[in-house]
Amino acid sequence: MKLEEKLGTNKYYVDETCPHIHIDDTGFTMEEKRKLVNCCPAGLYTLQEDGSLAFDFAGCLECGTCRVVAGQTIVKEWKYPRNTKGVEFRQG
Amino acid sequence: MELLVCIKQVPDTSEIKLDPETNNLIRTGLPSIVNPFDMHALEAALVVKDAHSDSHITVISMGPPQAEDALRECLALGADDAVLITDRAFGGADTLATSYTIASAIRHVQTKQGKPFDMIFCGKQAIDGDTAQVGPQIAEELGIPNVTYVCDIKLDTNEAGKPVTVVTREHDLGYEVVQATLPVLVTATLALNEPRVPTLWQSIYAKRYAIEHITVNDMEVDKERLGLGGSPTRVRKVYQPPLRAKVVMMDGSVADMATQVVNMARTVKGGATHE
Amino acid sequence: MGIDTRERFDVIVVGGGPAGAAAAYRLAQAGVKVLLLERGQYSGAKNMMGGRIYTHSLEALIPDFRERAPLERQVMKERISIAENGHMTTVEYVQSEVPQNEESYVVLRSKFDKWLAQEAEKQGALLICNVQVTELLVHQSSVNAKPQVIGVRCDDDEVYADLVIVAEGANTLLLEQAGLCAAPDPHALAVGVKETYKLAKSALEDRCGLMPDQGMAWLTLGDLTAGLMGGGFVYTNKDSVSVGLVVGLDKIGSVETTVEDMLLKFQAYPAVAQLLKGAQLKEHSAHLVPEGGYHSMPRLGGPGYVVVGDAARMCMNLGYTIRGMDLAIGSGMLAADAYLAAMGEGDSSKTASHYRHMVHHSWLGKDLELYRHFPSFLGGTDRIFQVYPQFVNDIMKDVFTINDAGATPIMGKLLHRVEQVGMKELMIDALKGVRAL
């Protein structure tokens, strides 16, 4: 099962109007980008063919791991989704 | 302005599972939510209140006592008052009996507050029944104009200086702009607005609010027109059509998957299937 | 009845998880006017852990929790595995009975946290869900004065109290923003990822060799984390199994493996794969885990605030067992007791100093302090995750392999394996480990 399919079993209230994480990978090394690709348990950071980093906030599990590893570098802004939005764990 | 929002608590259909044996919907243990279209109806009322600060929003729902949770959600978003129409006598109502009951309760609330509602907001339909009948039928019962499938609402005055709404309706073929005098009932589509999120003080207010219950004895009603007995239609069966096709998840690069899709399309077109 | 935005509370608790709910419970029980704020739709909606709670502190808070709490299974079976390249060495311990207050249970946080917060509500706490605290309100009377927390902001709304109990969890956005703790240190934090699979009760019990309603906690370390600090876990729920892993974050960019790859690798081990066979995925979740222990703890409180639970990094990973919830509940209770003690002296501003003192002199602080060197031992000894898993499995292979090449004495085999690893390194690590424990 692919990770995107796995995330499909989760309950999300996606806030289409307002991404809660902003990134900018301009000028950062591959290792710095690799950290994000590796650490995100939802696989939301992906390396593109041109070496740039793409990010999709919609499947976010709100763990904050990317902020811990790259909060001073690539991750420019990290907030929780607005009230009532985001993931809702039914198991936890 | 006196504003009323009609809401329904519905099972969260995104969580619905099918019984693999009987193919029936498993309804037990489903979380309840406010019907999503109704959230847009509430937002429309809140937008009117933002512009006309002397406005007052009442939210009304019909259902079992648990529907209080849905009403509290609306209070947390900014509604001022909430009323629940609840009685065993209302059980089993179809859309006609439901609209009659809600309209009767609305008359009751109007009499009690001594003021009619200027605008009534409903969702265009509920996600559990998908009938889109209750809103318009309430308007019919109350004898006021109604505008369905609304994606934009403006308040204006007409040539006679009377307040009117200018409403845009969503159609299959385009948009229709309608002007209606007040009072009016509108039913909201998802395109109407983006619902806001709850705030702290409003949530505290919602938590502490004592929701008024309206029962059959509170209203002047024709009891013949209530509940199962007042319902000319019956739901005989709810079922999921049997699955006819198998879902295939594809793997590989975009180019690979595109080729796969093309091959599949060819197979389907030719009518031949390969296992 | 209207809205009065000037209304004050005695105490505001930020976060409705076990630490916050325990604090609110205890305060409300004592008649304190307490506001419990939770950003999820319900408490637990944003929370996740592997699965086990040691219930001694919960029992002190709610003595009849066994009848009331949503507990999945009591842990009666402990398993520890060392995995490497498809090989797995497992130690299993089954208890026949467990004394009260030494029990542990598997719980699902969406149910358990929800229940505990509702219990706090029943005691009289005002529980508000779906509302996120966006800022701790800090007042500084003069340049040299210590900043005092006077309340919280939730978007545009503000609310004030004598004390703010910060129970925001491991992702300490609010404390950092207010300058009350440092930016998160990747050395002290790990990511936990978990999948919960639906499995019929009988199948689950058969596959794990469990008596009805009994549960298993199973920790695995080895090559699944690609040489990084961490390990896999399996916990048995009522009719589902939780399978996941925890990975340290400090060297996460140095490997060619994602967390998801690691999880797949763990799940491909035959013992895990067989357990999950035919089971249907219900949820894929993740959370930060504070692994830094005692030395990573921030200042536990100051004027107007105290910090409890994961936000205070009160978590202990000893490799063979992981504790967090018992410390969270314990710290929440101590925060409440500190406030009550301070109010008993007529001065709520003494809460933080009482709390710090109480933590350090209770089982909570003592346990954390006792194992204070363990996180740096785990984090600083790469061989645990890179060399020893193979070492252990190689020894097992030697012991259990018979062929026609002629037998060698077991001692000889063992020494050969020790030489491969290096006698000196082995002794150093063993001594460090023993000392850290």
Side-chain angles (χ1 to χ4, degrees), chain B residues 2 8 30 186-187 230:
Chain B
E2 284 298 320
K8 183 179 185 184
L30 275 182
V186 294
T187 73

Side-chain angles (χ1 to χ4, degrees), chain C residues 211-350:
Chain C
M211 301 293 281
D213 303 323
Q214 296 193 344
M216 175 179 74
W218 178 9
L219 299 179
T220 299
L221 68 80
D223 66 349
L224 37 125
T225 49
L228 302 181
M229 187 183 82
F233 61 79
V234 172
Y235 291 96
T236 54
N237 307 308
K238 266 200 179 84
D239 55 3
S240 62
V241 187
S242 300
V243 181
L245 55 80
V246 174
V247 194
L249 294 176
D250 60 329
K251 294 173 195 145
I252 193 81
S254 68
V255 294
E256 294 286 320
T257 316
T258 67
V259 169
E260 172 65 9
D261 295 335
M262 297 175 192
L263 183 61
L264 291 174
K265 187 165 185 180
F266 179 44
Q267 292 176 350
Y269 270 90
V272 184
Q274 282 304 112
L275 175 58
L276 296 180
K277 197 176 163 190
Q280 195 193 357
L281 181 66
K282 294 173 87 172
E283 187 169 273
H284 178 96
S285 55
H287 212 277
L288 273 181
V289 189
E291 296 255 277
Y294 187 80
H295 288 306
S296 68
M297 285 164 66
R299 190 174 168 78
L300 292 178
Y305 80 100
V306 292
V307 189
V308 296
D310 267 11
R313 311 270 176 253
M314 290 173 180
C315 185
M316 296 164 67
N317 175 7
L318 306 180
Y320 55 89
T321 194
I322 295 159
R323 294 170 61 181
M325 274 184 86
D326 62 324
L327 307 174
I329 291 174
S331 65
M333 291 166 71
L334 290 180
D337 291 347
Y339 177 79
L340 296 172
M343 290 307 284
E345 296 162 34
D347 183 1
S348 71
S349 70
K350 289 184 178 165

